[in-house]
Amino acid sequence: MARIVDFYYAIGSRYCYLAQSQVQRLEAIGQVAIRWRPLLSEDLMRARGLTPFKDQAVSVQYMPEYRSEDAARWASFYNIPYREPSWKSIDWRRVNMAAVAAARVGDVAAYSRRLFDATFGAGATLLTDHDLARLADEAGLDGARLVSLIDDKETQALHHRTIDAAVEAGAFGVPTFIVDGEVFWGNDRLILLQHHLAKDVA
């Protein structure tokens, strides 16, 4: 039986973009299944009552300029494209709720990958409902239905349940991977997660 690894992530996160690019490598370790669970990171931090982004950044590592430079270095290391999206022109809440809606209509992983490719791979300048539907169609989902479900009460309820599950499991930010009751937070902890998963592989 495959070991389930819960992957909590937000589409508007540089480090989630980086981490999701390594999911197939994690699954290749053997008997590992990644469960993609999109959420709004600010809602998760609000639920935990702790955020490093409130008012001024609490340290240089949380400043956008440094995070962009750091993410670009990681992308080069992973050999994947990295382009900054137009942060202020994109409705990140709607984009993330589109990912949540995808969990109701089909392959949330495939759709999330398309969203990540558009945002940080291609450096999206805008993501309209038309774009969200088109990307869903490209991922093999019903784009029109997905967009119609973004504001649906059950999509909102699913998001709340995901936040509650993340908090209960000990998540406090994204990207977070949880397996065997252990929390691995951050793209730079993937090597530790990989080591943890490989320990029990015969």
Side-chain angles (χ1 to χ4, degrees):
M1 181 178 295
R3 297 165 75 187
I4 302 298
V5 180
D6 281 314
F7 173 31
Y8 293 100
Y9 63 96
I11 302 300
S13 163
R14 303 169 178 86
Y15 293 103
C16 289
Y17 166 69
L18 295 166
Q20 61 86 35
S21 73
Q22 304 303 300
V23 163
Q24 289 183 323
R25 178 177 297 180
L26 295 173
E27 291 178 322
I29 292 174
Q31 297 299 311
V32 173
I34 307 295
R35 183 160 55 188
W36 294 60
R37 309 191 71 175
L39 51 75
L40 283 147
S41 58
E42 58 265 35
D43 286 6
L44 172 59
M45 290 185 288
R46 188 178 300 112
R48 288 300 303 259
L50 296 169
T51 173
F53 301 104
K54 188 176 181 180
D55 301 320
Q56 292 185 338
V58 296
S59 72
V60 173
Q61 77 182 82
Y62 291 104
M63 294 178 67
E65 297 82 2
Y66 175 79
R67 292 165 70 82
S68 295
E69 182 179 8
D70 186 52
R73 289 170 177 164
W74 275 104
S76 177
F77 178 72
Y78 287 152
N79 194 29
I80 60 174
Y82 181 80
R83 294 182 62 189
E84 292 272 312
S86 296
W87 295 101
K88 293 183 179 180
S89 65
I90 294 175
D91 184 345
W92 293 106
R93 176 169 288 273
R94 190 160 187 81
V95 170
N96 277 286
M97 292 309 297
V100 176
R104 299 181 58 197
V105 300
D107 191 341
V108 63
Y111 185 53
S112 295
R113 288 190 181 101
R114 293 297 299 132
L115 289 173
F116 279 123
D117 287 345
T119 51
F120 292 99
T125 57
L126 189 66
L127 283 175
T128 65
D129 280 3
H130 174 77
D131 296 320
L132 295 175
R134 172 180 55 80
L135 292 170
D137 289 335
E138 292 174 1
L141 284 67
D142 184 335
R145 181 165 181 259
L146 183 146
V147 168
S148 74
L149 291 176
I150 291 176
D151 297 317
D152 187 77
K153 290 183 178 180
E154 179 52 37
T155 302
Q156 307 298 322
L158 173 58
H159 181 245
H160 289 312
R161 292 195 297 272
T162 302
I163 294 288
D164 289 343
V167 171
E168 183 177 357
F172 51 86
V174 294
T176 289
F177 294 84
I178 297 178
V179 61
D180 303 328
E182 297 197 35
V183 177
F184 297 85
W185 169 70
N187 167 69
D188 54 349
R189 303 317 197 282
L190 287 181
I191 189 171
L192 299 178
L193 172 59
Q194 187 172 342
H195 174 70
H196 175 83
L197 294 173
K199 285 190 301 184
D200 298 326
V201 176

